[in-house]
Amino acid sequence: QGRRIQTRPELKILAIINGKSGKSYHRLYGPLRDLQIRDFADVHVHFVMDKDGNYNRIPDIKGYDLLVSSEWLHEIQKPVLEQIERYGIPFIVDIDDHWRPNRYNPAYYEWEARGVPKKVEECLYKANAVIVENERVGSIVNVFNRNWHIVQNALDFTAMQWNFAKVPDKKFRLGFVGGRSHRYDLLMIADALKAFGESGGVEIRLCGYQKNDPEWMAVANGLYQGEQPDWLKFLSALEPWDYGAFYSELDCAIAPLISNNFNAMKSDIKVKEAGAYCLPLIASDFGPYRNHESAGVYTAKNNREWLALLNRAKAGELDGRPNADYLQDAGCLQYVNLARIEIYSAVLQSVTR
């Protein structure tokens, strides 16, 4: 608050992203939309693919003040990098986790076949600056680019998805909100989830489900055989500007993570999402959740500890209010974006001296 933002009102930004979901939404689409709404910049977004999956034409970047991308430039990387060099346009990469998935991630083989990790590293090396989620990501980015800055993932408090009235229920509702890449994270705590579900009076909601997806089918097979139990619900995925509604109908959220180098770089966005609805979060004692500054994050090392915390949550012994306080302090998009625009301005000033 009270900081003077050194930027030009005519700042014209071209963002190259692959879509409005996942990393692109939290790292670029949402933040840049906020900057445009508040008249910090004139933002133009170029989607690599159109709605039918066809590649769009290569954009002409001449005339823009700044080019930003999430991780890499996709299939148009080579010609865009050539334009950056030809016209001297400043380039910033925004990245929130590791760009080398482990073998348990469904994107691993596709990314390796397409050479994505090496393309990300090329962008990191050629960027004027890199914006990262946390110091852990910064430590690996530092090998390729020493000019990195931390801007955390955040939530837009003005969005309807974070402002629904909480919906009560007679059952205790435990929920996971995430995508298909979390198959092994969920299966790691399958025994605890089954025991908790079978204890009665609870409903476990797995939100982000995609019908006939092999990753989600494997999760289902790990939790039950035969008829799906009444305590287990799979809720279909929502768009990134709608998924917050899931939390309004939960009493406690969970965030399991298998220990590996990829997961170690994850952001703590799930703490902030839980905080939007004042929910406690039970998470793995690892990565972004280990020794978390919010007292509303409760961590477990094994299925026995997970089940104990789940039972405590059901008994009303876990407090979600610290997560709401943490969200107010560290998770407001409008405040976090002040740091992002200052980085943009510093890069522009450095190349025009």
Side-chain angles (χ1 to χ4, degrees):
Q1 294 179 346
R3 291 189 292 177
R4 185 179 178 184
I5 308 303
Q6 299 294 329
T7 186
R8 296 176 292 171
E10 72 274 15
L11 176 60
K12 192 173 180 181
I13 300 173
L14 176 64
I16 296 182
I17 61 178
N18 202 36
K20 300 178 185 178
S21 60
K23 300 175 184 180
S24 294
Y25 181 80
H26 281 299
R27 295 310 296 180
L28 281 185
Y29 188 80
L32 290 177
R33 180 174 176 273
D34 170 70
L35 291 178
Q36 187 165 36
I37 289 172
R38 294 191 294 141
D39 294 326
F40 276 126
D42 179 14
V43 179
H44 296 251
V45 178
H46 176 88
F47 292 104
V48 176
M49 288 187 178
D50 64 22
K51 63 180 181 179
D52 298 317
N54 302 309
Y55 287 109
N56 283 318
R57 63 178 177 79
I58 298 169
D60 183 1
I61 70 173
K62 188 177 181 180
Y64 288 96
D65 298 304
L66 183 67
L67 176 70
V68 296
S69 74
S70 177
E71 297 186 321
W72 61 303
L73 293 164
H74 305 275
E75 276 64 24
I76 60 174
Q77 178 156 310
K78 183 177 179 180
V80 170
L81 288 177
E82 289 174 351
Q83 285 194 65
I84 288 173
E85 186 173 353
R86 183 183 312 136
Y87 300 125
I89 307 296
F91 174 40
I92 295 178
V93 173
D94 210 313
I95 187 167
D96 76 340
D97 61 10
H98 210 305
W99 56 91
R100 289 187 175 271
N102 62 40
R103 295 176 187 274
Y104 294 108
N105 190 298
Y108 172 78
Y109 293 102
E110 177 193 354
W111 276 41
E112 287 295 321
R114 294 168 64 192
V116 173
K118 290 184 178 180
K119 291 178 181 178
V120 173
E121 290 165 2
E122 180 183 23
C123 283
L124 294 175
Y125 179 74
K126 294 190 174 182
N128 295 84
V130 181
I131 299 177
V132 301
E133 158 63 24
N134 52 49
E135 192 168 352
R136 298 186 302 277
V137 178
S139 67
I140 57 174
V141 165
N142 195 66
V143 176
F144 305 94
N145 194 317
R146 294 185 178 182
N147 189 24
W148 55 271
H149 308 266
I150 296 174
V151 177
Q152 292 189 345
N153 284 339
L155 304 181
D156 180 1
F157 293 167
T158 67
M160 188 64 214
Q161 65 172 325
W162 306 115
N163 290 281
F164 286 110
K166 293 190 69 172
V167 180
D169 196 281
K170 292 181 180 180
K171 292 182 178 180
F172 179 84
R173 297 157 301 175
L174 179 75
F176 169 82
V177 181
R180 63 193 299 268
S181 64
H182 292 279
R183 166 186 175 180
Y184 291 98
D185 301 322
L186 288 167
L187 291 178
M188 176 182 66
I189 61 167
D191 290 344
L193 293 178
K194 285 187 287 187
F196 185 64
E198 291 166 359
S199 67
V202 304
E203 185 172 277
I204 298 176
R205 299 183 174 190
L206 303 184
C207 311
Y209 175 74
Q210 295 171 282
K211 187 176 181 181
N212 297 326
D213 180 87
E215 302 298 316
W216 278 110
M217 291 170 66
V219 171
N221 290 335
L223 291 173
Y224 70 91
Q225 299 294 321
E227 187 175 352
Q228 182 174 323
D230 292 337
W231 51 262
L232 180 62
K233 304 295 181 186
F234 289 93
L235 302 184
S236 296
L238 295 176
E239 298 289 355
W241 46 88
D242 291 327
Y243 75 96
F246 285 132
Y247 288 94
S248 68
E249 298 184 5
L250 298 179
D251 300 298
C252 180
I254 60 172
L257 274 184
I258 285 182
S259 298
N260 57 48
N261 290 336
F262 180 76
N263 282 343
M265 305 297 158
K266 291 285 187 182
S267 80
D268 69 348
I269 190 68
K270 291 192 183 304
V271 180
K272 296 163 185 170
E273 292 168 352
Y277 287 98
C278 210
L279 301 177
L281 179 74
I282 304 175
S284 296
D285 184 24
F286 173 72
Y289 309 116
R290 176 170 287 173
N291 300 320
H292 198 280
E293 63 183 274
S294 173
V297 179
Y298 300 83
T299 58
K301 296 183 177 68
N302 52 50
N303 273 266
R304 178 179 56 80
E305 292 184 4
W306 269 93
L307 183 57
L309 284 173
L310 294 175
N311 287 328
R312 286 184 59 196
K314 181 182 176 182
E317 297 176 5
L318 305 189
D319 188 0
R321 289 173 297 180
N323 290 337
D325 294 338
Y326 174 71
L327 173 62
Q328 294 292 329
D329 292 339
C332 174
L333 176 62
Q334 285 70 25
Y335 181 74
V336 165
N337 249 354
L338 296 180
R340 183 175 268 107
I341 198 68
E342 284 183 343
I343 295 166
Y344 289 178
S345 299
V347 167
L348 285 166
Q349 291 170 12
S350 70
V351 298
T352 55
R353 285 175 186 155

